[in-house]
Amino acid sequence: MKYVFIINPIAGNKDKSRIMSRIQSTFRQLDDEMIIEETRCQGDAARIAAAYAEKYGKDCVVVSCGGDGTVHEIANGLAGTDTPMMLLPLGTGNDFAKKIYGAKKINVENVIKAFGLYNGKLRYDVKPIDLIDYNGEKCINVMSFGLDTLVETLGKKIADKAPFLGHQAYNVAIVPILLRPLHYKISYDILCVNKETGEEYRLTERDKDYALFAICNASYYGGGFCPAPNAVLDDGLVDFALVNGLSHIKALPMIGKYNAGTANDQVYPGLFVNGYAKSGKFWTEDGSPLIGNCDGENFDYNELDFTVQEKALKLCFIKD
């Protein structure tokens, strides 16, 4: 078996060199082969992952050694292939990893040990998970619009200038964003599902006044905010959280609950709309770019179609 470690050299964890050196020592004792590939520019991780998947298929594991951006790219490179992805959370936010490893604060050393990458007794289960296809690209974690995109954008800039802040950069970014009006416009037509009855229905609006709209394959984004605490990675559905346009006075008390995963339409009726969806479309009536991002990367579409692709990616999970 070949293990291809795709490393983002500028990702957040300063111990990457030491960690990789220790893992290399382990692989010298194994029949399995360790291959290290460093990314140099955007898109490299997707291209590298796709090339190894085409060449080795199920006889290869691609190990993501970076943050959410690296995970996003590798998921795009491996989607629809027999090659699984293993995730070592070595970035700043590591939001998708929070869902996989069931904790907001992840100890990467414990993850590495649990996979057996330090002692040579490799152990993991490979399970397929869903992805979101949007305009031909793949989303593994969260696609969102509005306020959260603006916080994500500013948070990244703050993190780049003050890396010592880590994921707290996103909490810092909330303050200046909340000083602006929390009213944006979006149009959408979404095929939703009542999870209890299986009944399908449509959620449709034009020029909707909203604050944020999160479409969630997993649970966390923006450095740990949790719009979908109960998201299931292989149920063929995405969880969504829509927050109507609102005043600053109403928004401020929500922040803590939204971070904790306890803000929803039961706690804030009339402000939140929660549900599950299979597919849908977003657009702007005036043709301006959507205020949106996927897995923390901004996009400039003025029209976006999405659909859930069931069990489109094989993922390595720590064996129980």
Side-chain angles (χ1 to χ4, degrees), residues 266-287:
Q266 301 298 311
V267 178
Y268 297 108
L271 287 178
F272 269 74
V273 179
N274 294 102
Y276 308 94
K278 285 184 174 181
S279 61
K281 178 178 181 178
F282 291 92
W283 70 96
T284 56
E285 296 292 334
D286 62 2

Side-chain angles (χ1 to χ4, degrees), residues 48-89:
I48 293 167
Y52 278 99
E54 182 177 4
K55 188 172 184 179
Y56 296 110
K58 63 182 180 181
D59 296 322
C60 174
V61 173
V62 173
V63 186
S64 175
C65 305
D68 292 304
T70 307
V71 171
H72 169 82
E73 286 198 17
I74 292 175
N76 273 265
L78 297 181
T81 75
D82 291 326
T83 301
M85 175 172 69
M86 181 183 288
L87 174 55
L88 302 187

Side-chain angles (χ1 to χ4, degrees), residues 93 134 312:
Y134 65 107

